[in-house]
């Protein structure tokens, strides 16, 4: 992990493109100092701003901003970012609604906090990298992502160096990250390893003619795991969509495994296909669009979706809380 | 195991049906990748010209995106929407239907106690 100072003019030279910054702060006071300066700078320039952080931080920011807080949009990251794959669509909605010729936008998003599970953390880090791809052409959009260096593990901060081209200290000093991962690397199939279930999990093979049987298998295991009826139905629908993708695009067949990990029901679909669309499931399908609905729907139904594409095939894991 | 039993769903009592002056279809069962083409073909056959086709979907126990897309694609243009359209999608269609932005497509599927056709059934 390394970084180097960049001239202020260069650091601010992203006015016509997407600028993705990591704010490395230590504790609540530095969080406020770093984010308030960013927000107030935007308010002075009359730039629309959306702040997506935890509810407690929103309260503190509102108190500090006073009447100006009405000029800033706020959203609770615990809600929007419960499934990190839902965050990019939220930013997209903000950008589409407020962007215009020559207009600059500001955002603050803190998807990573100390309470994230290991599985959530990896998906959040993937989300942070995908932002660079999703908004590469977003004119004048500046996004600041706070990282609490006291609360987060050093390797999490190291990954922030790889997913953000610019690093900012709470006092305002800016550096260019020399570890920044290029969008070409981000666009490659994501093949981070997935842990095996703690014990052998019930498994069912499927193909086009057995999707009905597969749905019954999911419903049975969802009920046995204690999911409510509506949640069971959501899971049946989600697994069906992933399995349908396997039938259509993944070699015509696949295998489903289901198990419970603590309070989470995990469903895993494996097939022989390859997923080479890095933003799949993170872009709201346009009206009249053919295709692209399946993984979008799955992301709306599940608390976490892990998509992997290995040389041997693809894996999609769905997490649903009991 | 059927999804109906899996989810504890029970068959609804017969509704009092108004005399049907227009074409009507009852969808039932599970509409997925396998069933959707047949449903689509039947709808394409029925939804022609200015005729108002009422689809009763109360007995649909499962419908996925493929099924929803089939129904949406069979819908006539908004200008042809009947003035008395009312009701909504079957409860089980809501997740796929609504989350995919097809909430403006209710013109096709509507369910009401006084306006159920029951003429033909598609499973």
């Amino acid at each position: 992990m390394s970084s180097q100072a960049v001239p202020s003019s260069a650091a601010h030279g992203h006015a016509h493109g997407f600028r993705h910054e990591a704010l490395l702060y230590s504790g609540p006071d530095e969080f406020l100092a770093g984010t308030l300066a960013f927000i107030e700078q935007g308010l002075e320039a009359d730039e629309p701003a959306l702040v997506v952080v935890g509810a407690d931080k929103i309260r503190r920011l509102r108190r500090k901003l006073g009447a100006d807080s009405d000029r800033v949009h706020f959203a609770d990251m615990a809600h929007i970012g419960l499934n990190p794959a839902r965050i990019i669509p939220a930013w997209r909605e903000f950008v589409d609604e407020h962007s215009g010729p020559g207009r600059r936008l500001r955002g603050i998003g803190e998807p990573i906090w100390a309470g994230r599970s290991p599985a959530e953390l990896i998906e959040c880090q993937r989300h942070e990298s995908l932002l660079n791809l999703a908004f590469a052409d977003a004119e004048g959009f500046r996004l600041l992502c706070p990282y609490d260096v006291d609360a987060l593990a050093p390797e999490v901060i190291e990954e922030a160096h790889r997913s953000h081209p610019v690093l900012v200290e709470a006092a305002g000093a800016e550096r260019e990250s020399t570890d920044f991962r290029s969008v070409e690397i981000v666009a490659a199939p994501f093949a981070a390893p997935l842990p095996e279930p703690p014990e052998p999990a019930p498994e069912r093979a499927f193909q086009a003619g057995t999707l009905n049987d597969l749905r019954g298998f999911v419903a049975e295991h969802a009920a046995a795991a204690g999911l409510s009826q509506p949640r069971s139905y959501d899971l049946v629908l989600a697994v069906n969509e992933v399995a349908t993708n396997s039938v259509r695009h993944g070699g015509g067949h696949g295998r489903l495994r289901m198990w419970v990990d603590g309070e989470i029901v995990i469903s895993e679909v494996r097939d022989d296909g390859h997923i080479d669309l890095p933003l799949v499931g993170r872009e709201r399908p346009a009206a009249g669009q053919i295709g692209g609905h399946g993984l979008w729907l799955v992301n709306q139904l599940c608390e976490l979706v892990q998509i992997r594409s290995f040389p041997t095939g693809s894996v999609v894991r769905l997490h649903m809380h009991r | 195991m059927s999804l109906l039993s899996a989810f504890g769903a029970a068959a609804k009592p017969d509704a009092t049906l108004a005399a049907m002056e227009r074409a009507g279809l009852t969808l039932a069962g599970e509409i997925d990748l396998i069933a959707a083409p047949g449903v689509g073909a039947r709808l394409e056959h029925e939804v022609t010209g200015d005729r108002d086709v009422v689809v009763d979907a109360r007995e649909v126990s499962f419908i996925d995106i493929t099924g929803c897309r089939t129904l949406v694609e069979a819908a006539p243009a908004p200008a042809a929407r009947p003035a008395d359209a009312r009701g909504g999608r079957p409860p089980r269609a809501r997740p796929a239907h609504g989350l995919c932005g097809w909430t403006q497509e209710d013109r096709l599927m509507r369910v009401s106690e006084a306006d159920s056709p029951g003429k033909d059934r598609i499973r």
Side-chain angles (χ1 to χ4, degrees):
Chain A
M1 178 171 62
S2 62
S3 60
Q4 64 185 36
V6 290
S8 174
S9 58
H12 289 285
H14 298 254
H16 301 296
F18 179 49
R19 181 179 159 90
H20 193 196
E21 309 166 29
L23 168 65
L24 307 175
Y25 72 93
S26 177
D29 289 344
E30 283 199 9
F31 171 84
L32 277 180
T35 54
L36 276 172
F38 183 83
I39 294 169
E40 286 167 348
Q41 197 180 20
L43 289 174
E44 283 173 19
D46 204 24
E47 296 173 3
L50 171 61
V51 177
V52 192
V53 297
D56 185 54
K57 286 173 174 164
I58 290 175
R59 274 192 293 275
R60 278 183 276 154
L61 282 170
R62 280 188 178 281
R63 256 200 313 271
K64 287 283 186 183
L65 286 166
D68 277 342
S69 68
D70 292 340
R71 298 171 59 200
V72 179
H73 303 272
F74 290 95
D76 187 350
M77 183 58 89
H79 173 66
I80 287 183
L82 177 64
N83 176 349
R86 299 179 198 158
I87 305 173
I88 283 177
W91 286 121
R92 173 62 63 196
E93 193 176 326
F94 171 70
V95 169
D96 288 349
E97 188 177 339
H98 294 281
S99 65
R103 192 166 199 198
R104 297 179 188 182
L105 312 172
R106 281 176 189 248
I108 296 176
E110 188 174 24
I112 294 177
W113 57 84
R116 287 288 202 185
S117 71
E120 290 174 338
L121 180 60
I122 291 172
E123 299 312 310
C124 285
Q125 290 171 329
R126 175 68 173 157
H127 153 75
E128 286 278 45
S129 286
L130 287 173
L131 282 165
N132 301 310
L133 195 61
F135 295 102
D137 298 325
E139 293 292 313
F141 179 33
R142 190 171 169 188
L143 179 59
L144 182 71
C145 303
Y147 281 78
D148 189 340
V149 297
D150 284 349
L152 297 169
E155 54 268 28
V156 176
I157 305 303
E158 288 171 15
E159 176 58 26
H161 283 236
R162 290 189 280 272
S163 56
H164 296 78
V166 179
L167 310 171
V168 185
E169 305 292 342
E174 297 177 354
R175 294 170 289 159
E176 184 177 356
S177 173
T178 54
D179 292 325
F180 179 58
R181 183 188 292 121
S182 72
V183 291
E184 288 76 16
I185 295 173
V186 173
F190 190 53
L194 292 166
E196 276 298 296
E199 53 190 57
E203 189 166 341
R204 182 67 58 102
F206 63 87
Q207 55 187 324
T210 61
L211 287 175
N212 175 290
D213 168 72
L214 186 75
R215 292 192 292 270
F217 178 85
V218 176
E220 187 179 330
H221 284 83
L227 286 184
S228 66
Q229 278 194 2
R231 296 290 281 158
S232 290
Y233 188 82
D234 285 348
L235 185 58
V236 168
L237 182 58
V239 171
N240 178 83
E241 292 303 334
V242 178
T244 297
N245 281 347
S246 295
V247 170
R248 279 188 160 145
H249 313 295
H253 57 87
R255 299 191 73 83
L256 169 73
R257 289 194 295 178
M258 291 184 71
W259 68 95
V260 175
D261 184 0
E263 289 304 304
I264 301 171
V265 180
I266 300 177
S267 310
E268 176 194 88
V269 174
R270 288 178 177 265
D271 64 36
D272 296 335
H274 297 282
I275 299 172
D276 54 7
L277 299 170
L279 293 171
V280 67
R282 298 170 196 256
E283 296 173 312
R284 181 187 292 275
Q289 178 177 321
I290 304 297
H293 293 85
L295 286 173
W296 165 267
L297 177 74
V298 167
N299 270 325
Q300 309 315 305
L301 294 173
C302 300
E303 278 78 42
L304 194 70
V305 178
Q306 297 170 291
I307 299 175
R308 303 289 186 270
S309 191
F310 302 107
T312 52
S314 68
V315 181
V316 179
R317 278 190 186 177
L318 315 179
H319 293 227
M320 191 163 278
H321 293 175
R322 289 200 277 182
Chain B
M1 177 177 60
S2 76
L3 278 181
L4 273 177
S5 62
F7 296 113
K12 291 191 175 184
D14 288 341
T16 302
L17 303 183
M20 290 304 302
E21 300 272 334
R22 52 193 172 184
L25 295 169
T26 295
L27 293 178
E30 304 181 13
I31 306 176
D32 63 2
L33 179 70
I34 298 302
V39 172
R42 182 60 187 271
L43 286 171
E44 189 178 353
H45 175 73
E46 295 288 341
V47 182
T48 56
D50 294 332
R51 191 170 58 159
D52 182 8
V53 177
V54 177
V55 177
D56 183 344
R58 285 174 298 178
E59 292 184 43
V60 171
S61 56
F62 176 84
I63 183 166
D64 66 3
I65 286 176
T66 308
C68 286
R69 183 182 297 120
T70 298
L71 298 176
V72 169
E73 287 175 353
R81 178 177 178 157
D84 66 344
R86 59 183 182 274
R89 294 148 282 150
R92 288 302 173 218
R94 286 197 177 97
H97 209 249
L99 290 170
C100 289
W102 291 326
T103 52
Q104 302 307 310
E105 307 292 350
D106 286 349
R107 64 184 179 275
L108 181 70
M109 299 182 70
R110 55 187 188 274
V111 178
S112 71
E113 292 302 301
D115 193 15
S116 299
K119 179 188 173 193
D120 281 323
R121 301 167 71 84
I122 302 177
R123 286 186 184 271

